[in-house]
Amino acid sequence: QVQLVESGGGLVQAGGSLRLSCAASGRTFSNYAMGWFRQAPGKERSLVAAINWSGDKTYYTDSVKGRFTISRDNTKNTVDLQMNSLKPEDTAVYYCASKDSRYLITGWEMYDYWGQGTQVTVSS
């Protein structure tokens, strides 16, 4: 069992920045691929960014490339999402997720554990 707890969401103006953090507990964090997803009202949950177990492979959805950065610290059991140049369309509940795999995982259905989510609201 893995427990994931997100933090760092909030309200920010367009063009601003937020840093989301996901703290993991329960198993050996370094064995897990991690992902950040988001879900806006009336829309499906979608992958924002993913990172493999060591952090040397990352994936970003096109809409956030160049603005968001995913990183992990296996000594602290955390995975962060630095979000810069935020846009109103980034408004959503953001979730972190984990998968017992050393590969980069991009399919939401492959993730095993999910956090409760943190709200990000970007005002125009």
Side-chain angles (χ1 to χ4, degrees), residues 2-6 22-25 29 34 96-98 113-116:
V2 175
Q3 293 79 42
L4 302 172
V5 179
E6 302 96 336
C22 176
S25 61
F29 181 70
M34 301 296 295
C96 77
S98 68
Y113 299 100
W114 295 82
Q116 293 298 309

Side-chain angles (χ1 to χ4, degrees), residues 9-28:
L11 173 65
V12 64
Q13 288 188 332
S17 298
L18 282 174
R19 188 176 184 89
L20 305 184
S21 187
C22 176
S25 61
R27 287 194 176 176
T28 305

Side-chain angles (χ1 to χ4, degrees), residues 41-53:
K43 295 187 177 181
E44 294 185 349
R45 191 172 298 188
S46 64
L47 178 66
V48 176
I51 191 166
N52 72 333
W53 72 279

Side-chain angles (χ1 to χ4, degrees), residues 18-79:
L18 282 174
R19 188 176 184 89
L20 305 184
S21 187
C22 176
S25 61
R27 287 194 176 176
T28 305
F29 181 70
S30 59
N31 288 342
Y32 281 73
M34 301 296 295
W36 281 100
F37 292 77
R38 65 186 178 188
Q39 187 168 19
K43 295 187 177 181
E44 294 185 349
R45 191 172 298 188
S46 64
L47 178 66
V48 176
I51 191 166
N52 72 333
W53 72 279
S54 63
D56 64 343
K57 293 183 174 59
T58 58
Y59 166 88
Y60 298 94
T61 193
D62 285 346
S63 62
V64 307
K65 285 181 180 177
R67 300 189 298 123
F68 290 12
T69 303
I70 189 171
S71 61
R72 67 188 296 161
D73 186 337
N74 288 344
T75 66
K76 297 181 179 178
N77 290 1
T78 58
V79 58

